[in-house]
Amino acid sequence: MRTKVLIAYLIALTLATIWPGAALANRVRPFIFGLPFNFAWYAFWILLGFVLFLWLDAEQQRRERGQ
């Protein structure tokens, strides 16, 4: 399951930061937390990746303790 989630995220990240996704976010307004929309778009994907990897690390540690 962890591998499938990671692969799905990496595919979504790739699509969100190149042509299909970047074209959707290619505008300045609205500002989100003071950032132009296109910057906030990339910051969202980076933050989502950080949270995902924290979750995967916690799952791995939980599994190692359980063995």
Side-chain angles (χ1 to χ4, degrees):
M1 161 115 174
R2 294 177 302 169
T3 305
K4 290 180 183 178
V5 170
L6 181 60
I7 290 171
Y9 168 73
L10 291 175
I11 290 171
L13 172 68
T14 302
L15 293 176
T17 57
I18 59 173
W19 173 69
L24 295 172
N26 192 19
R27 59 182 182 266
V28 174
R29 297 192 187 266
F31 287 100
I32 301 173
F33 298 118
L35 295 173
F37 185 76
N38 55 354
F39 285 8
W41 178 259
Y42 292 112
F44 165 76
W45 284 101
I46 292 169
L47 182 63
L48 183 64
F50 176 71
V51 170
L52 175 68
F53 282 110
L54 281 178
W55 173 72
L56 290 173
D57 185 53
E59 285 288 316
Q60 183 177 356
Q61 288 181 4
R62 186 178 57 83
R63 283 187 184 206
E64 289 174 357
R65 281 188 227 134
Q67 291 181 350

